[in-house]
Amino acid sequence: MGARADRPSGDRMVAVIEGQGWLDKPSYKIEHGMALALNLLGPAGVRVRDFLHGRWFGHPLHPMLTDIPAGAWTAALVLDGMAVLAPRPEGFKDAARAAVGAGLAGAAVAALAGLADWQFTHDNARRIGLVHGTLNTAATGLYCLSWIQRRGGADHRARWAGAAGWAVMAASSYLGGSLVYRHRIGVDHSDKELEPRQFTAVLAESELGAEPCQVQAHGVAVVLARSGGAIYALGEHCPHLGGPLSKGHLSRGQIICPWHGSRFDLATGTCRRGPATTGPPRFATRIRAGQIEIRRIPPVPAAPPGRVLARQQHIRDQEEARGDRRP
Ligand code: FES
């Protein structure tokens, strides 16, 4: 059996789509159209884009929103089946129509969030994303048709349109999963190492100029930057797609990713502008014997157990970082 036959059919389907270079031309036209529309909105466009990425939520919005049409349309499929089998189908028919309508509303919002995320993909991920979006549009069109037919009493045709829409949606969902699983779209790309746990010298203070600088500490890449007389340290890799923050530039206490312009607060690591939805890890810094030393600040758990102890540790970390406490 050949290597090709050994590959799962899903793999082969994805590989075929990834090889379609002609998809790039329409992709860039759509992307440029979107960028133009958002730029025309000015600062409101930035807020809209950040909202759609999910920066306010600290998590990409699109994967969560897709559960609405997927769940509602699957429920409609089951209800349609029950309406066929039940001796008194009226209740099932009404419920199926409501589920189709709820799925349509969810699909519209999910599509906007998905477009906002897709705008910043590249190469193979962009091609998969384009086909994923096209299939979703086709599924939504079929459910629109199904909705109209249900309202007109053409139940039999409405069920077939709905079933076809569900099949298209299922194929599209596979591609959506592929975008996350293979291409790591929507995944946090920042380094999650807990090192260095102790203060570690990484650079002579005199060597850090006005530009950000990448250093290594126990194999962890970190970006150092000066701002307002203080020295800050953040994880080198942008959480969005792993862009090198040390190649970015500084502006008003923030570091800007060179790849897609996400902004991160140097003092807190907070993401101030997307497409990233969360910030990189943060490190405490201090100067000892002319050397910049850094230590990882562990994230504070949001809930018990150990909440109080973790909070105390966090406060100690901050005091050490400011030089108020000796480690
Ligand atoms: S990699 Fe996309 S904003 Fe940093």
mmCIF file with all atom_site columns, all heavy atoms in Angstrom, residues 5-29:
data_model
loop_
_atom_site.group_PDB
_atom_site.id
_atom_site.type_symbol
_atom_site.label_atom_id
_atom_site.label_alt_id
_atom_site.label_comp_id
_atom_site.label_asym_id
_atom_site.label_entity_id
_atom_site.label_seq_id
_atom_site.pdbx_PDB_ins_code
_atom_site.Cartn_x
_atom_site.Cartn_y
_atom_site.Cartn_z
_atom_site.occupancy
_atom_site.B_iso_or_equiv
_atom_site.pdbx_formal_charge
_atom_site.auth_seq_id
_atom_site.auth_comp_id
_atom_site.auth_asym_id
_atom_site.auth_atom_id
_atom_site.pdbx_PDB_model_num
ATOM 1   N N   . ALA A 1 5  ? -2.036  6.200  0.101   1.00 0.00 ? 5  ALA A N   1
ATOM 2   C CA  . ALA A 1 5  ? -3.205  5.474  0.588   1.00 0.00 ? 5  ALA A CA  1
ATOM 3   C C   . ALA A 1 5  ? -3.211  5.392  2.104   1.00 0.00 ? 5  ALA A C   1
ATOM 4   O O   . ALA A 1 5  ? -4.254  5.239  2.730   1.00 0.00 ? 5  ALA A O   1
ATOM 5   C CB  . ALA A 1 5  ? -3.237  4.077  -0.025  1.00 0.00 ? 5  ALA A CB  1
ATOM 6   N N   . ASP A 1 6  ? -2.007  5.472  2.724   1.00 0.00 ? 6  ASP A N   1
ATOM 7   C CA  . ASP A 1 6  ? -1.922  5.403  4.182   1.00 0.00 ? 6  ASP A CA  1
ATOM 8   C C   . ASP A 1 6  ? -2.442  6.673  4.851   1.00 0.00 ? 6  ASP A C   1
ATOM 9   O O   . ASP A 1 6  ? -2.750  6.672  6.032   1.00 0.00 ? 6  ASP A O   1
ATOM 10  C CB  . ASP A 1 6  ? -0.460  5.210  4.609   1.00 0.00 ? 6  ASP A CB  1
ATOM 11  C CG  . ASP A 1 6  ? -0.047  3.757  4.453   1.00 0.00 ? 6  ASP A CG  1
ATOM 12  O OD1 . ASP A 1 6  ? -0.955  2.933  4.279   1.00 0.00 ? 6  ASP A OD1 1
ATOM 13  O OD2 . ASP A 1 6  ? 1.165   3.483  4.477   1.00 0.00 ? 6  ASP A OD2 1
ATOM 14  N N   . ARG A 1 7  ? -2.469  7.743  4.098   1.00 0.00 ? 7  ARG A N   1
ATOM 15  C CA  . ARG A 1 7  ? -2.893  9.011  4.717   1.00 0.00 ? 7  ARG A CA  1
ATOM 16  C C   . ARG A 1 7  ? -4.395  9.016  4.909   1.00 0.00 ? 7  ARG A C   1
ATOM 17  O O   . ARG A 1 7  ? -5.147  8.622  4.016   1.00 0.00 ? 7  ARG A O   1
ATOM 18  C CB  . ARG A 1 7  ? -2.505  10.198 3.824   1.00 0.00 ? 7  ARG A CB  1
ATOM 19  C CG  . ARG A 1 7  ? -1.015  10.442 3.780   1.00 0.00 ? 7  ARG A CG  1
ATOM 20  C CD  . ARG A 1 7  ? -0.704  11.605 2.895   1.00 0.00 ? 7  ARG A CD  1
ATOM 21  N NE  . ARG A 1 7  ? -0.955  12.874 3.543   1.00 0.00 ? 7  ARG A NE  1
ATOM 22  C CZ  . ARG A 1 7  ? -0.806  14.056 2.948   1.00 0.00 ? 7  ARG A CZ  1
ATOM 23  N NH1 . ARG A 1 7  ? -0.421  14.105 1.699   1.00 0.00 ? 7  ARG A NH1 1
ATOM 24  N NH2 . ARG A 1 7  ? -1.039  15.159 3.590   1.00 0.00 ? 7  ARG A NH2 1
ATOM 25  N N   . PRO A 1 8  ? -4.875  9.481  6.045   1.00 0.00 ? 8  PRO A N   1
ATOM 26  C CA  . PRO A 1 8  ? -6.329  9.579  6.238   1.00 0.00 ? 8  PRO A CA  1
ATOM 27  C C   . PRO A 1 8  ? -6.948  10.488 5.172   1.00 0.00 ? 8  PRO A C   1
ATOM 28  O O   . PRO A 1 8  ? -6.298  11.418 4.671   1.00 0.00 ? 8  PRO A O   1
ATOM 29  C CB  . PRO A 1 8  ? -6.457  10.206 7.627   1.00 0.00 ? 8  PRO A CB  1
ATOM 30  C CG  . PRO A 1 8  ? -5.144  9.975  8.292   1.00 0.00 ? 8  PRO A CG  1
ATOM 31  C CD  . PRO A 1 8  ? -4.119  9.919  7.206   1.00 0.00 ? 8  PRO A CD  1
ATOM 32  N N   . SER A 1 9  ? -8.203  10.216 4.833   1.00 0.00 ? 9  SER A N   1
ATOM 33  C CA  . SER A 1 9  ? -8.839  10.972 3.752   1.00 0.00 ? 9  SER A CA  1
ATOM 34  C C   . SER A 1 9  ? -8.924  12.466 4.100   1.00 0.00 ? 9  SER A C   1
ATOM 35  O O   . SER A 1 9  ? -8.819  13.320 3.221   1.00 0.00 ? 9  SER A O   1
ATOM 36  C CB  . SER A 1 9  ? -10.223 10.412 3.452   1.00 0.00 ? 9  SER A CB  1
ATOM 37  O OG  . SER A 1 9  ? -10.964 10.350 4.649   1.00 0.00 ? 9  SER A OG  1
ATOM 38  N N   . GLY A 1 10 ? -9.108  12.765 5.404   1.00 0.00 ? 10 GLY A N   1
ATOM 39  C CA  . GLY A 1 10 ? -9.156  14.175 5.798   1.00 0.00 ? 10 GLY A CA  1
ATOM 40  C C   . GLY A 1 10 ? -7.853  14.878 5.488   1.00 0.00 ? 10 GLY A C   1
ATOM 41  O O   . GLY A 1 10 ? -7.831  16.008 4.988   1.00 0.00 ? 10 GLY A O   1
ATOM 42  N N   . ASP A 1 11 ? -6.739  14.189 5.774   1.00 0.00 ? 11 ASP A N   1
ATOM 43  C CA  . ASP A 1 11 ? -5.410  14.738 5.477   1.00 0.00 ? 11 ASP A CA  1
ATOM 44  C C   . ASP A 1 11 ? -5.288  15.052 3.992   1.00 0.00 ? 11 ASP A C   1
ATOM 45  O O   . ASP A 1 11 ? -4.752  16.085 3.597   1.00 0.00 ? 11 ASP A O   1
ATOM 46  C CB  . ASP A 1 11 ? -4.328  13.699 5.814   1.00 0.00 ? 11 ASP A CB  1
ATOM 47  C CG  . ASP A 1 11 ? -3.800  13.878 7.216   1.00 0.00 ? 11 ASP A CG  1
ATOM 48  O OD1 . ASP A 1 11 ? -4.394  14.673 7.954   1.00 0.00 ? 11 ASP A OD1 1
ATOM 49  O OD2 . ASP A 1 11 ? -2.803  13.208 7.559   1.00 0.00 ? 11 ASP A OD2 1
ATOM 50  N N   . ARG A 1 12 ? -5.752  14.096 3.190   1.00 0.00 ? 12 ARG A N   1
ATOM 51  C CA  . ARG A 1 12 ? -5.607  14.278 1.732   1.00 0.00 ? 12 ARG A CA  1
ATOM 52  C C   . ARG A 1 12 ? -6.446  15.454 1.256   1.00 0.00 ? 12 ARG A C   1
ATOM 53  O O   . ARG A 1 12 ? -6.017  16.239 0.424   1.00 0.00 ? 12 ARG A O   1
ATOM 54  C CB  . ARG A 1 12 ? -5.999  12.993 1.000   1.00 0.00 ? 12 ARG A CB  1
ATOM 55  C CG  . ARG A 1 12 ? -4.843  12.003 0.958   1.00 0.00 ? 12 ARG A CG  1
ATOM 56  C CD  . ARG A 1 12 ? -5.215  10.773 0.190   1.00 0.00 ? 12 ARG A CD  1
ATOM 57  N NE  . ARG A 1 12 ? -5.785  9.769  1.069   1.00 0.00 ? 12 ARG A NE  1
ATOM 58  C CZ  . ARG A 1 12 ? -6.766  8.935  0.747   1.00 0.00 ? 12 ARG A CZ  1
ATOM 59  N NH1 . ARG A 1 12 ? -7.287  8.978  -0.448  1.00 0.00 ? 12 ARG A NH1 1
ATOM 60  N NH2 . ARG A 1 12 ? -7.207  8.063  1.608   1.00 0.00 ? 12 ARG A NH2 1
ATOM 61  N N   . MET A 1 13 ? -7.653  15.574 1.809   1.00 0.00 ? 13 MET A N   1
ATOM 62  C CA  . MET A 1 13 ? -8.519  16.688 1.407   1.00 0.00 ? 13 MET A CA  1
ATOM 63  C C   . MET A 1 13 ? -7.845  18.028 1.759   1.00 0.00 ? 13 MET A C   1
ATOM 64  O O   . MET A 1 13 ? -7.809  18.959 0.951   1.00 0.00 ? 13 MET A O   1
ATOM 65  C CB  . MET A 1 13 ? -9.876  16.581 2.115   1.00 0.00 ? 13 MET A CB  1
ATOM 66  C CG  . MET A 1 13 ? -10.808 17.742 1.844   1.00 0.00 ? 13 MET A CG  1
ATOM 67  S SD  . MET A 1 13 ? -12.421 17.530 2.606   1.00 0.00 ? 13 MET A SD  1
ATOM 68  C CE  . MET A 1 13 ? -12.084 17.938 4.301   1.00 0.00 ? 13 MET A CE  1
ATOM 69  N N   . VAL A 1 14 ? -7.290  18.096 2.966   1.00 0.00 ? 14 VAL A N   1
ATOM 70  C CA  . VAL A 1 14 ? -6.630  19.334 3.399   1.00 0.00 ? 14 VAL A CA  1
ATOM 71  C C   . VAL A 1 14 ? -5.429  19.633 2.501   1.00 0.00 ? 14 VAL A C   1
ATOM 72  O O   . VAL A 1 14 ? -5.214  20.777 2.077   1.00 0.00 ? 14 VAL A O   1
ATOM 73  C CB  . VAL A 1 14 ? -6.208  19.227 4.883   1.00 0.00 ? 14 VAL A CB  1
ATOM 74  C CG1 . VAL A 1 14 ? -5.281  20.360 5.277   1.00 0.00 ? 14 VAL A CG1 1
ATOM 75  C CG2 . VAL A 1 14 ? -7.443  19.232 5.781   1.00 0.00 ? 14 VAL A CG2 1
ATOM 76  N N   . ALA A 1 15 ? -4.664  18.576 2.167   1.00 0.00 ? 15 ALA A N   1
ATOM 77  C CA  . ALA A 1 15 ? -3.475  18.776 1.333   1.00 0.00 ? 15 ALA A CA  1
ATOM 78  C C   . ALA A 1 15 ? -3.865  19.290 -0.058  1.00 0.00 ? 15 ALA A C   1
ATOM 79  O O   . ALA A 1 15 ? -3.174  20.147 -0.624  1.00 0.00 ? 15 ALA A O   1
ATOM 80  C CB  . ALA A 1 15 ? -2.691  17.469 1.213   1.00 0.00 ? 15 ALA A CB  1
ATOM 81  N N   . VAL A 1 16 ? -4.973  18.786 -0.602  1.00 0.00 ? 16 VAL A N   1
ATOM 82  C CA  . VAL A 1 16 ? -5.427  19.258 -1.921  1.00 0.00 ? 16 VAL A CA  1
ATOM 83  C C   . VAL A 1 16 ? -5.760  20.751 -1.857  1.00 0.00 ? 16 VAL A C   1
ATOM 84  O O   . VAL A 1 16 ? -5.357  21.546 -2.715  1.00 0.00 ? 16 VAL A O   1
ATOM 85  C CB  . VAL A 1 16 ? -6.659  18.445 -2.392  1.00 0.00 ? 16 VAL A CB  1
ATOM 86  C CG1 . VAL A 1 16 ? -7.323  19.113 -3.588  1.00 0.00 ? 16 VAL A CG1 1
ATOM 87  C CG2 . VAL A 1 16 ? -6.234  17.024 -2.752  1.00 0.00 ? 16 VAL A CG2 1
ATOM 88  N N   . ILE A 1 17 ? -6.466  21.143 -0.812  1.00 0.00 ? 17 ILE A N   1
ATOM 89  C CA  . ILE A 1 17 ? -6.833  22.578 -0.690  1.00 0.00 ? 17 ILE A CA  1
ATOM 90  C C   . ILE A 1 17 ? -5.579  23.430 -0.516  1.00 0.00 ? 17 ILE A C   1
ATOM 91  O O   . ILE A 1 17 ? -5.446  24.502 -1.117  1.00 0.00 ? 17 ILE A O   1
ATOM 92  C CB  . ILE A 1 17 ? -7.802  22.783 0.494   1.00 0.00 ? 17 ILE A CB  1
ATOM 93  C CG1 . ILE A 1 17 ? -9.115  22.044 0.227   1.00 0.00 ? 17 ILE A CG1 1
ATOM 94  C CG2 . ILE A 1 17 ? -8.076  24.272 0.712   1.00 0.00 ? 17 ILE A CG2 1
ATOM 95  C CD1 . ILE A 1 17 ? -10.032 21.986 1.427   1.00 0.00 ? 17 ILE A CD1 1
ATOM 96  N N   . GLU A 1 18 ? -4.651  22.924 0.305   1.00 0.00 ? 18 GLU A N   1
ATOM 97  C CA  . GLU A 1 18 ? -3.433  23.710 0.555   1.00 0.00 ? 18 GLU A CA  1
ATOM 98  C C   . GLU A 1 18 ? -2.613  23.920 -0.729  1.00 0.00 ? 18 GLU A C   1
ATOM 99  O O   . GLU A 1 18 ? -1.877  24.894 -0.832  1.00 0.00 ? 18 GLU A O   1
ATOM 100 C CB  . GLU A 1 18 ? -2.568  23.010 1.607   1.00 0.00 ? 18 GLU A CB  1
ATOM 101 C CG  . GLU A 1 18 ? -3.159  23.103 3.003   1.00 0.00 ? 18 GLU A CG  1
ATOM 102 C CD  . GLU A 1 18 ? -2.377  22.306 4.027   1.00 0.00 ? 18 GLU A CD  1
ATOM 103 O OE1 . GLU A 1 18 ? -1.522  21.500 3.639   1.00 0.00 ? 18 GLU A OE1 1
ATOM 104 O OE2 . GLU A 1 18 ? -2.644  22.491 5.225   1.00 0.00 ? 18 GLU A OE2 1
ATOM 105 N N   . GLY A 1 19 ? -2.785  23.011 -1.686  1.00 0.00 ? 19 GLY A N   1
ATOM 106 C CA  . GLY A 1 19 ? -2.020  23.134 -2.931  1.00 0.00 ? 19 GLY A CA  1
ATOM 107 C C   . GLY A 1 19 ? -2.653  24.064 -3.958  1.00 0.00 ? 19 GLY A C   1
ATOM 108 O O   . GLY A 1 19 ? -2.087  24.261 -5.041  1.00 0.00 ? 19 GLY A O   1
ATOM 109 N N   . GLN A 1 20 ? -3.767  24.667 -3.652  1.00 0.00 ? 20 GLN A N   1
ATOM 110 C CA  . GLN A 1 20 ? -4.478  25.518 -4.627  1.00 0.00 ? 20 GLN A CA  1
ATOM 111 C C   . GLN A 1 20 ? -3.996  26.969 -4.546  1.00 0.00 ? 20 GLN A C   1
ATOM 112 O O   . GLN A 1 20 ? -4.625  27.824 -3.905  1.00 0.00 ? 20 GLN A O   1
ATOM 113 C CB  . GLN A 1 20 ? -5.997  25.467 -4.381  1.00 0.00 ? 20 GLN A CB  1
ATOM 114 C CG  . GLN A 1 20 ? -6.589  24.067 -4.364  1.00 0.00 ? 20 GLN A CG  1
ATOM 115 C CD  . GLN A 1 20 ? -6.300  23.294 -5.641  1.00 0.00 ? 20 GLN A CD  1
ATOM 116 O OE1 . GLN A 1 20 ? -6.508  23.790 -6.743  1.00 0.00 ? 20 GLN A OE1 1
ATOM 117 N NE2 . GLN A 1 20 ? -5.789  22.081 -5.495  1.00 0.00 ? 20 GLN A NE2 1
ATOM 118 N N   . GLY A 1 21 ? -2.884  27.222 -5.190  1.00 0.00 ? 21 GLY A N   1
ATOM 119 C CA  . GLY A 1 21 ? -2.304  28.565 -5.139  1.00 0.00 ? 21 GLY A CA  1
ATOM 120 C C   . GLY A 1 21 ? -3.194  29.639 -5.745  1.00 0.00 ? 21 GLY A C   1
ATOM 121 O O   . GLY A 1 21 ? -3.105  30.808 -5.360  1.00 0.00 ? 21 GLY A O   1
ATOM 122 N N   . TRP A 1 22 ? -4.081  29.247 -6.662  1.00 0.00 ? 22 TRP A N   1
ATOM 123 C CA  . TRP A 1 22 ? -4.950  30.247 -7.298  1.00 0.00 ? 22 TRP A CA  1
ATOM 124 C C   . TRP A 1 22 ? -5.918  30.886 -6.304  1.00 0.00 ? 22 TRP A C   1
ATOM 125 O O   . TRP A 1 22 ? -6.493  31.941 -6.587  1.00 0.00 ? 22 TRP A O   1
ATOM 126 C CB  . TRP A 1 22 ? -5.735  29.611 -8.462  1.00 0.00 ? 22 TRP A CB  1
ATOM 127 C CG  . TRP A 1 22 ? -6.652  28.504 -8.020  1.00 0.00 ? 22 TRP A CG  1
ATOM 128 C CD1 . TRP A 1 22 ? -6.353  27.188 -7.900  1.00 0.00 ? 22 TRP A CD1 1
ATOM 129 C CD2 . TRP A 1 22 ? -8.025  28.642 -7.621  1.00 0.00 ? 22 TRP A CD2 1
ATOM 130 N NE1 . TRP A 1 22 ? -7.430  26.475 -7.451  1.00 0.00 ? 22 TRP A NE1 1
ATOM 131 C CE2 . TRP A 1 22 ? -8.477  27.351 -7.274  1.00 0.00 ? 22 TRP A CE2 1
ATOM 132 C CE3 . TRP A 1 22 ? -8.914  29.711 -7.519  1.00 0.00 ? 22 TRP A CE3 1
ATOM 133 C CZ2 . TRP A 1 22 ? -9.768  27.103 -6.827  1.00 0.00 ? 22 TRP A CZ2 1
ATOM 134 C CZ3 . TRP A 1 22 ? -10.210 29.473 -7.066  1.00 0.00 ? 22 TRP A CZ3 1
ATOM 135 C CH2 . TRP A 1 22 ? -10.628 28.183 -6.733  1.00 0.00 ? 22 TRP A CH2 1
ATOM 136 N N   . LEU A 1 23 ? -6.076  30.250 -5.123  1.00 0.00 ? 23 LEU A N   1
ATOM 137 C CA  . LEU A 1 23 ? -6.982  30.834 -4.113  1.00 0.00 ? 23 LEU A CA  1
ATOM 138 C C   . LEU A 1 23 ? -6.413  32.123 -3.513  1.00 0.00 ? 23 LEU A C   1
ATOM 139 O O   . LEU A 1 23 ? -7.138  32.905 -2.901  1.00 0.00 ? 23 LEU A O   1
ATOM 140 C CB  . LEU A 1 23 ? -7.226  29.829 -2.978  1.00 0.00 ? 23 LEU A CB  1
ATOM 141 C CG  . LEU A 1 23 ? -8.035  28.581 -3.344  1.00 0.00 ? 23 LEU A CG  1
ATOM 142 C CD1 . LEU A 1 23 ? -8.072  27.613 -2.165  1.00 0.00 ? 23 LEU A CD1 1
ATOM 143 C CD2 . LEU A 1 23 ? -9.462  28.975 -3.732  1.00 0.00 ? 23 LEU A CD2 1
ATOM 144 N N   . ASP A 1 24 ? -5.097  32.326 -3.689  1.00 0.00 ? 24 ASP A N   1
ATOM 145 C CA  . ASP A 1 24 ? -4.481  33.490 -3.033  1.00 0.00 ? 24 ASP A CA  1
ATOM 146 C C   . ASP A 1 24 ? -4.988  34.820 -3.593  1.00 0.00 ? 24 ASP A C   1
ATOM 147 O O   . ASP A 1 24 ? -5.148  35.794 -2.862  1.00 0.00 ? 24 ASP A O   1
ATOM 148 C CB  . ASP A 1 24 ? -2.956  33.421 -3.158  1.00 0.00 ? 24 ASP A CB  1
ATOM 149 C CG  . ASP A 1 24 ? -2.395  32.233 -2.390  1.00 0.00 ? 24 ASP A CG  1
ATOM 150 O OD1 . ASP A 1 24 ? -3.138  31.674 -1.571  1.00 0.00 ? 24 ASP A OD1 1
ATOM 151 O OD2 . ASP A 1 24 ? -1.237  31.870 -2.626  1.00 0.00 ? 24 ASP A OD2 1
ATOM 152 N N   . LYS A 1 25 ? -5.237  34.824 -4.901  1.00 0.00 ? 25 LYS A N   1
ATOM 153 C CA  . LYS A 1 25 ? -5.646  36.098 -5.507  1.00 0.00 ? 25 LYS A CA  1
ATOM 154 C C   . LYS A 1 25 ? -6.985  36.590 -4.936  1.00 0.00 ? 25 LYS A C   1
ATOM 155 O O   . LYS A 1 25 ? -7.063  37.725 -4.429  1.00 0.00 ? 25 LYS A O   1
ATOM 156 C CB  . LYS A 1 25 ? -5.728  35.940 -7.024  1.00 0.00 ? 25 LYS A CB  1
ATOM 157 C CG  . LYS A 1 25 ? -5.656  37.243 -7.760  1.00 0.00 ? 25 LYS A CG  1
ATOM 158 C CD  . LYS A 1 25 ? -5.493  36.998 -9.241  1.00 0.00 ? 25 LYS A CD  1
ATOM 159 C CE  . LYS A 1 25 ? -5.622  38.313 -9.978  1.00 0.00 ? 25 LYS A CE  1
ATOM 160 N NZ  . LYS A 1 25 ? -5.641  38.130 -11.418 1.00 0.00 ? 25 LYS A NZ  1
ATOM 161 N N   . PRO A 1 26 ? -8.049  35.753 -4.969  1.00 0.00 ? 26 PRO A N   1
ATOM 162 C CA  . PRO A 1 26 ? -9.295  36.237 -4.349  1.00 0.00 ? 26 PRO A CA  1
ATOM 163 C C   . PRO A 1 26 ? -9.135  36.504 -2.854  1.00 0.00 ? 26 PRO A C   1
ATOM 164 O O   . PRO A 1 26 ? -9.758  37.416 -2.308  1.00 0.00 ? 26 PRO A O   1
ATOM 165 C CB  . PRO A 1 26 ? -10.297 35.107 -4.611  1.00 0.00 ? 26 PRO A CB  1
ATOM 166 C CG  . PRO A 1 26 ? -9.504  33.919 -5.035  1.00 0.00 ? 26 PRO A CG  1
ATOM 167 C CD  . PRO A 1 26 ? -8.228  34.445 -5.620  1.00 0.00 ? 26 PRO A CD  1
ATOM 168 N N   . SER A 1 27 ? -8.253  35.718 -2.188  1.00 0.00 ? 27 SER A N   1
ATOM 169 C CA  . SER A 1 27 ? -8.044  35.928 -0.744  1.00 0.00 ? 27 SER A CA  1
ATOM 170 C C   . SER A 1 27 ? -7.570  37.342 -0.472  1.00 0.00 ? 27 SER A C   1
ATOM 171 O O   . SER A 1 27 ? -8.090  38.030 0.409   1.00 0.00 ? 27 SER A O   1
ATOM 172 C CB  . SER A 1 27 ? -6.969  34.978 -0.212  1.00 0.00 ? 27 SER A CB  1
ATOM 173 O OG  . SER A 1 27 ? -7.450  33.689 -0.130  1.00 0.00 ? 27 SER A OG  1
ATOM 174 N N   . TYR A 1 28 ? -6.553  37.752 -1.232  1.00 0.00 ? 28 TYR A N   1
ATOM 175 C CA  . TYR A 1 28 ? -5.987  39.073 -0.958  1.00 0.00 ? 28 TYR A CA  1
ATOM 176 C C   . TYR A 1 28 ? -6.963  40.181 -1.340  1.00 0.00 ? 28 TYR A C   1
ATOM 177 O O   . TYR A 1 28 ? -6.977  41.235 -0.701  1.00 0.00 ? 28 TYR A O   1
ATOM 178 C CB  . TYR A 1 28 ? -4.628  39.228 -1.646  1.00 0.00 ? 28 TYR A CB  1
ATOM 179 C CG  . TYR A 1 28 ? -3.576  38.454 -0.890  1.00 0.00 ? 28 TYR A CG  1
ATOM 180 C CD1 . TYR A 1 28 ? -3.055  37.272 -1.395  1.00 0.00 ? 28 TYR A CD1 1
ATOM 181 C CD2 . TYR A 1 28 ? -3.151  38.876 0.366   1.00 0.00 ? 28 TYR A CD2 1
ATOM 182 C CE1 . TYR A 1 28 ? -2.124  36.541 -0.662  1.00 0.00 ? 28 TYR A CE1 1
ATOM 183 C CE2 . TYR A 1 28 ? -2.224  38.148 1.097   1.00 0.00 ? 28 TYR A CE2 1
ATOM 184 C CZ  . TYR A 1 28 ? -1.715  36.978 0.576   1.00 0.00 ? 28 TYR A CZ  1
ATOM 185 O OH  . TYR A 1 28 ? -0.819  36.241 1.305   1.00 0.00 ? 28 TYR A OH  1
ATOM 186 N N   . LYS A 1 29 ? -7.794  39.925 -2.347  1.00 0.00 ? 29 LYS A N   1
ATOM 187 C CA  . LYS A 1 29 ? -8.804  40.947 -2.686  1.00 0.00 ? 29 LYS A CA  1
ATOM 188 C C   . LYS A 1 29 ? -9.800  41.116 -1.529  1.00 0.00 ? 29 LYS A C   1
ATOM 189 O O   . LYS A 1 29 ? -10.148 42.238 -1.152  1.00 0.00 ? 29 LYS A O   1
ATOM 190 C CB  . LYS A 1 29 ? -9.545  40.527 -3.957  1.00 0.00 ? 29 LYS A CB  1
ATOM 191 C CG  . LYS A 1 29 ? -8.736  40.819 -5.207  1.00 0.00 ? 29 LYS A CG  1
ATOM 192 C CD  . LYS A 1 29 ? -9.563  40.691 -6.444  1.00 0.00 ? 29 LYS A CD  1
ATOM 193 C CE  . LYS A 1 29 ? -8.703  41.127 -7.633  1.00 0.00 ? 29 LYS A CE  1
ATOM 194 N NZ  . LYS A 1 29 ? -9.111  40.548 -8.875  1.00 0.00 ? 29 LYS A NZ  1
#
